[in-house]
Structure formats: C-alpha cells, structure tokens
Amino acid sequence: MAGIYLHIPFCKQACYYCDFHFSTSLKKKEELVFCLKKELELRKEELRYEEIETIYFGGGTPSLLSINEIDQILGAIYKNYQVVKNPEITLEANPDDLTETKILELAKSPINRLSIGIQSFFEEDLQLMNRAHNAQEAKECLSMAIRHFDNITIDLIYGIPNMSNERWRENLQIAFDFGINHISSYALTVEPKTALDSFIKQGKYPDVDETVAKEHFDILVSETEKNGFVHYEISNFGKSNYFSKHNTSYWLGKKYIGIGPSAHSFNKTHRSWNVANNAKYIKALKEGKLPLEQEKLTKKDRFNEYLMTGLRTIFGVSLHQVESDFGLEFKETLLQNAERFIKEGLLVIANEMRQSDVEKEITSSRILRNDNLVLKTTAKGKFLADGLASELFII
C-alpha cells in the first residue's frame, strides 16, 4: 500500500508564520494543474506494484482548485495507478473558500475527508497570524461542512502570544461542540525568513513563549482525552476510526510520492524532492523532465528517521524492528543512549501497541501485548519527543 501527496502551491495571502512553498498569484494555476497530471503520468512506474490507499491534496490552499481541476487530477491518478476500492481522499481547505456551494460540490466529488485550517475561533488570533478568514467564517463553514462530511479534521494553533489558557480551552470546546472527530494541533513556531520572524526581530510582535506552549499542550492532551480522542501522534488526536490514514502511513514508513513543486517522496531506500519554484517546475514538466533531486538514504539516515517518526507516535520504536532492519549494534546503542531518559521518566520500554488495535480500543491498558517491546515517550516526555529523538540519533 502507498500514498500520493499533491502540493497545490497557491494561497490568497501569506500567513505570517508559514514557510511552505506557495505563490499568491494564481496566474499559473491552469498550467500547474496540467503539469501535475504530467508528473503523475511520468512517475507511474515508481508505484507500479503498489496499491494507492490514500490521496492527499495539500499546500498551499488546495480549496482554491475548482471541482473540474480536482476531477482532472484524480482522473490522472486513476488512469495511471492502481487505487483501492475506497481510498481516503483528503482536501485541505480554508474556511473562506468553503461556501455552501463549494461544500456541496466537494460532497458530490470523490473527496471524502476535509482538513480545514481553522487555526483559531478568535478574531485577535487570526489577525495576528494574518489568516484570510475571520472567526465568523470559521464557525459558519464548520456548521455547513458537518452536514455533508462525516470525516473532518481541523487545524488549531496554540502557543500564540497573548492567548490565555482560558481562551485555548474555549477554542477546544468549540471544536468539541461541533462534533469534530479529529484535531491536528501545532505550537506556533518561528521559522527563519518568515514574516513572523522579521516582526519579532523588529520588536513589532511578541516572541513565542515555550512555557505557554507547554501549558497549552498539556491542556490539549487533557481535554481531548476527556472527550474521547486518542493522542496517536504528537500533533494529532482522533476518535476511533478517524485517524488520518495518509499521515499515519508516513509515520509507519510506507511508500509515497509527492507531486507538485517542493513535494517530497519516499520509497524506503531513497528520498526525493521537487524544485520549490512554480515556473521551473512547469518548464521542466512541459519539456517532459522530472524537476526533482534524489538522495540515497544510508542505514543511519533510515534509523534516525524511524526514530524520529516512531517517538512521535503512540506506536513507538519497535526494538525488534530496529534489530531486524538495522542490526543488533543499533539496538544496543539505542538502549544505551535511552537509559538516562528512561531514568528521567521521559521514555519507557513498553509492550507493542498495534495500529489496528488502537483504532478499536481507547484504553491503552486493554491493548498491550507481550510479543514485542517498543521504546516510546511517557506523558512527561511527549512534548519533548523531537528533542529526545535528536539526542538518540546515531551520527
């Protein structure tokens, strides 16, 4: 099984915190769609022996695509790839694009999962981030979307300067009240060369506070658990049967190809990425060339990547898999390096938790097994997962 990611590199305006590749000019949208279809055709051999189980329209702002353009892209996928009977097909959307007409069109299309970039239900937060929608649009689009889509996830950002714990709890409660079954939530981070980075350096915007972010994270974990969500990845919370199949495939190391400017691909041994420039991407595809670079992953690269993704998830890092895929020396080194973090209560060696079981059971104590051991973060260590992984990397 494999997945296809499609990067749609267009946005109405630039959010201050964003460092993804996009353009605010839609002039090349028609050409870009043509080239996405061309790239899908040129790369079909990469997944010749795989069935496609997930398709993900990301960006950028994929909801800027017309239904006709979405159908064209999906048509190219079905023409060139083997797709399972009921694939998960996700479209990222901004609230200001989700008019009732647009939602009805999407509901009639093959799209069966919406990922809506709410970020906050409060006006002051949205203005600070320079979001294109307002608080009223955030609520109105959800009111309409839940009538036509069962599988909806929303993005929420925490750690925003001047966001109190109370307002963060209100954000979460609004989502719960809508009956949302999946939430992806991230701390506001300052990426280099973004507008946010510039404003902070100029003293125009308060710097983010990691202490506040940690408080918000703890509230997030606690409140989602109370409302029946499983915290299955550091930034992802889903109710049973509503986990993101596409993102989970990344964390479990499945193959995927990334189509579009700046998109990344992975085939277990190599990683590749497309040029992050719309004009260069379009020029190459029109000439029948693939505008990508590729690197072969060393054993250390693959181990470190498995470590990074594994510690972010509820599934952890399988000690058996480490020994099987990388050798006994890697396993022994990992255990030796992890010892101090285990003593500090940040990591723990536990019984394996299988993906299928997590979907069926909410209470982790009922799904422990004795046939495999995994290294995973404790509740205390979850917020520090990325830092812990980097400390355990084999260089």
Side-chain angles (χ1 to χ4, degrees):
M1 295 291 189
I4 295 178
Y5 171 83
L6 301 135
H7 188 77
I8 311 302
F10 300 108
C11 289
K12 288 180 180 177
Q13 64 187 47
C15 299
Y16 291 154
Y17 57 85
C18 183
D19 70 339
F20 292 161
H21 169 68
F22 67 92
S23 170
T24 54
S25 170
L26 302 182
K27 291 180 180 179
K28 296 183 182 295
K29 185 158 73 87
E30 185 176 335
E31 290 180 282
L32 195 284
V33 170
F34 170 84
C35 291
L36 292 175
K37 295 187 292 181
K38 184 68 174 177
E39 186 184 359
L40 283 164
E41 180 185 353
L42 291 175
R43 299 183 66 182
K44 62 184 178 182
E45 289 300 313
E46 294 180 37
L47 297 178
R48 182 178 180 182
Y49 301 107
E50 303 284 344
E51 283 191 303
I52 306 303
E53 61 179 342
T54 63
I55 300 168
Y56 194 102
F57 288 83
T61 311
S63 51
L64 290 174
L65 293 174
S66 68
I67 293 299
N68 178 260
E69 289 167 335
I70 292 171
D71 285 342
Q72 287 183 49
I73 294 168
L74 289 175
I77 292 174
Y78 275 86
K79 178 181 178 181
N80 293 288
Y81 299 83
Q82 299 178 62
V83 182
V84 298
K85 186 176 181 181
N86 295 303
E88 176 190 85
I89 306 180
T90 303
L91 180 90
E92 290 184 352
N94 277 348
D96 47 300
D97 294 326
L98 291 180
T99 62
E100 187 168 14
T101 299
K102 184 79 168 189
I103 291 171
L104 286 170
E105 289 178 337
L106 290 171
K108 294 176 182 176
S109 79
I111 302 295
N112 53 32
R113 184 172 184 267
L114 287 183
S115 176
I116 305 176
I118 299 292
Q119 313 309 356
S120 176
F121 290 103
F122 291 89
E123 203 66 47
E124 51 266 55
D125 300 332
L126 297 172
Q127 290 176 359
L128 280 171
M129 293 184 285
N130 199 40
R131 294 292 294 169
H133 69 278
N134 58 45
Q136 186 62 30
E137 287 173 320
K139 295 174 183 176
E140 287 179 352
C141 83
L142 271 182
S143 295
M144 293 184 290
I146 60 176
R147 295 201 296 267
H148 302 282
F149 282 87
D150 172 59
N151 200 349
I152 295 175
T153 179
I154 66 170
D155 287 351
L156 292 175
I157 293 180
Y158 60 87
I160 300 171
N162 302 321
M163 178 192 277
S164 66
N165 289 350
E166 182 182 0
R167 191 159 86 217
W168 177 231
R169 284 193 175 91
E170 286 186 57
N171 260 311
L172 292 170
Q173 191 58 54
I174 292 170
F176 300 149
D177 290 344
F178 272 108
I180 299 302
N181 293 311
H182 190 283
I183 296 173
S184 294
S185 191
Y186 310 89
L188 181 66
T189 54
V190 184
E191 301 295 345
K193 299 180 181 180
T194 59
L196 177 60
D197 182 38
S198 176
F199 293 157
I200 290 173
K201 288 177 178 177
Q202 295 172 36
K204 297 179 180 179
Y205 195 97
D207 201 352
V208 297
D209 187 332
E210 189 168 323
T211 302
V212 171
K214 176 62 167 60
E215 289 178 1
H216 288 180
F217 178 78
D218 290 342
I219 291 169
L220 171 66
V221 172
S222 174
E223 294 303 312
T224 50
E225 183 178 5
K226 289 177 187 175
N227 284 272
F229 289 77
V230 178
H231 187 191
Y232 69 104
E233 193 270 345
I234 293 301
S235 302
N236 286 271
F237 306 78
K239 292 187 178 179
S240 184
N241 297 319
Y242 287 94
F243 291 9
S244 167
K245 294 179 181 178
H246 185 83
N247 289 340
T248 299
S249 72
Y250 291 162
W251 305 321
L252 295 179
K254 295 184 181 181
K255 294 181 181 180
Y256 62 89
I257 59 170
I259 304 296
S262 80
H264 284 236
S265 304
F266 172 74
N267 69 0
K268 294 184 180 290
T269 60
H270 293 75
R271 185 170 296 286
S272 63
W273 56 93
N274 285 341
V275 62
N277 181 291
N278 290 1
K280 290 180 180 179
Y281 174 83
I282 290 169
K283 182 177 185 295
L285 266 301
K286 284 187 172 181
E287 294 173 355
K289 301 174 183 176
L290 290 174
L292 57 77
E293 294 183 54
Q294 186 180 76
E295 67 171 340
K296 184 175 182 179
L297 300 174
T298 66
K299 183 185 287 190
K300 288 182 180 179
D301 290 335
R302 290 186 289 112
F303 170 80
N304 290 342
E305 185 158 318
Y306 175 53
L307 195 63
M308 175 66 79
T309 56
L311 286 184
R312 287 184 62 91
T313 71
I314 199 171
F315 314 116
V317 175
S318 166
L319 299 182
H320 171 76
Q321 187 173 336
V322 169
E323 183 174 350
S324 175
D325 292 355
F326 308 106
L328 181 60
E329 183 180 349
F330 275 73
K331 176 183 172 182
E332 291 177 342
T333 300
L334 172 62
L335 290 173
Q336 181 180 348
N337 292 341
E339 186 175 353
R340 69 183 178 100
F341 299 115
I342 293 173
K343 289 180 178 178
E344 292 172 12
L346 300 174
L347 295 175
V348 65
I349 294 176
N351 290 323
E352 180 185 28
M353 187 175 291
R354 299 174 189 264
Q355 181 187 5
S356 59
D357 290 333
V358 173
E359 290 281 9
K360 294 175 184 175
E361 297 286 354
I362 301 301
T363 307
S364 60
S365 62
R366 290 160 62 187
I367 55 177
L368 294 180
R369 296 176 179 271
N370 297 315
D371 58 350
N372 202 4
L373 295 176
V374 297
L375 180 70
K376 60 196 301 185
T377 57
T378 61
K380 180 181 175 182
K382 279 183 180 179
F383 187 71
L384 305 171
D386 289 348
L388 291 169
S390 64
E391 289 289 328
L392 298 173
F393 283 169
I394 293 180
I395 308 301

